[in-house]
Amino acid sequence: MSTIEVTGGISLQGEIEIQGSKNAVLPILAACLLGEGVCVIENCPRIKDVSDTLEIMRGLGCRIRREDRTVSVDASGVDRCEISGEEAARIRSSILFLGALLGRMKKAVLPLPGGCAIGERPIDQHIAALRQLGARFYLEEKVAADAWDLKGGRVELALPSVGATENAILASVLAPGETLIVRAAREPEIDELCAFLRRRGARIRRTAGGDIRIVGVKRLGSACYRMRPDRIVAGTYLLAATATRGQIFVKDFPHHELDALLAVLRDMGVTVGYEENGIRLMAKMPLRALPYLETAPYPGFPTDLQSPLMAVLCRARGESCICETIFENRFRTVDQLQKMGAKIRTDGRCAVMKGIPALIPASLTAPDLRGGAALVIAALQANGSSVIRNTRYIERGYEDICRDLSALGARITYRG
Ligand code: EPZ
């Protein structure tokens, strides 16, 4: 089993480029199923979630070619509409094939997506949205639906679910008629999916009020699309630089996608801002605590950066409180940080941290993807060498966290 070894105490310095976005490329790969065209995706991150998704697509009949970070998908041969339990078990976001298969094949059969490390992950909003477009679900023990008379309509989401918004988009771009998705998620990954689909000839746009309006078209053509950088990976590295009192420049990063994080960093006393085509950060001083912060749907503070921020607040001066409002089980890093001496207590959806001067190196176990990244950030602060197990979680979303942080001066390596 591979581990990551980190020798902490070094301030991160330098420039870094960020990999393509995991949470944007996954729905875009599912969208490649919609129609017979060949799609070329550039700057596609080399991460496990992408490899697993491409395997599922091959199983459905896609011809896939991958050269480094360029993936080409020929979906003309798609002849299956069922994803097996074994395939889907590898990756939760396989649920996005529900909308894509209904849009392409008018039929879809997938296993019920289980919960995962961070929570139950229900799909009631996905099902409700697709029903509003004419899909008919006919099994209990599986996610099985047909949609022979799929047609545009008004989809009202009860909550701004990212995945449910994406599934409604994937099912409606080829459906006759007009679709309006009310209370659509506002995450940038949704707008990137829309940009990709417009590139293929879809008629889709976000209204001034934030809803998504679609007019169904008969077919989608080929397209070539370059993925934008991953905002959660960028945020992770900005937090790592903050934790080590470093100074970094994130190159080629779209402005405003990390506004909520930058505002929080400034509250902590960090000098950070958008500059030319990137983000410059300098964190040379003792950090101020955050009396209260809660995660929220975009443009609020992203839940995916909650654990990495917690690792930074362990050494901020004073008492901080973070409340996790999106997922019900996203404090699984707490006991690992406590092994390093962190003073943290949780109370329901909130965690309270009392800053301490130093973290103790330890042998750690990553509990999930972003929790694993948080432990790397904690280990970068400890005076000595820490080891992190379960690195497979981290590899789901970070191309090579050791390569990236070493480029900023960290002493961090994979072992085994
Ligand atoms: C996406 O998950 C991301 N994953 C998550 O990133 C991210 O944390 C999340 O959006 C929120 O931003 C991908 O894009 C692949 P949701 P998703 O549907 O779509 C509840 C990472 O670390 N809900 O917006 O599953 C749900 O339980 C991952 O990269 C329902 O109740 O998120 C959760 O509490 C983790 N019913 C909340 O909504 C539903 O039908 C947000 O879920 C769907 C969701």
Side-chain angles (χ1 to χ4, degrees), residues 6-87:
V6 183
T7 302
I10 299 167
S11 281
L12 300 188
Q13 312 276 343
E15 290 196 351
I16 189 155
E17 250 179 284
I18 302 296
Q19 69 188 58
S21 167
K22 165 177 92 77
N23 291 350
V25 78
L26 296 178
I28 282 175
L29 287 172
C32 291
L33 291 186
L34 293 169
E36 314 229 332
V38 176
C39 294
V40 178
I41 311 297
E42 296 176 341
N43 195 30
C44 180
R46 292 183 308 229
I47 54 177
K48 193 158 177 336
D49 272 13
V50 166
S51 314
D52 290 345
T53 298
L54 294 177
E55 269 319 295
I56 291 175
M57 294 171 72
R58 286 191 180 92
L60 293 171
C62 290
R63 275 202 303 280
I64 308 270
R65 241 196 23 255
R66 192 174 186 183
E67 282 152 40
D68 193 26
R69 293 189 178 91
T70 298
V71 171
S72 69
V73 179
D74 176 352
S76 54
V78 170
D79 56 4
R80 285 187 56 211
C81 63
E82 177 155 6
I83 293 175
S84 72
E86 185 264 331
E87 288 169 313

Side-chain angles (χ1 to χ4, degrees), residues 2 9 20 118 231 249 317 343 348 354 375:
S2 76
I118 61 176
R231 64 191 172 98
F249 181 64
R317 278 198 177 159
K343 297 272 178 282
K354 261 178 107 56
L375 294 182

Side-chain angles (χ1 to χ4, degrees), residues 1 52 105 111 118 160 167 179 191 195 220 226 237 262 291 304 308-310 319 321 327 335 351 368 371 374 395 416:
M1 170 181 66
D52 290 345
M105 306 294 282
I118 61 176
N167 260 331
T179 296
D191 296 291
L220 294 176
R226 182 172 178 77
Y237 295 163
L262 269 55
D304 294 347
L309 174 63
M310 183 183 282
E319 184 169 281
C321 173
F327 290 110
D335 63 343
D368 53 55
E395 289 147 20

Side-chain angles (χ1 to χ4, degrees), residues 22-23 121-125 161-163 304 326 330 370:
K22 165 177 92 77
N23 291 350
R121 313 299 292 275
I123 58 166
D124 56 299
Q125 295 299 308
S161 156
V162 172
D304 294 347
I326 306 291
R330 212 165 194 178
R370 306 304 176 184

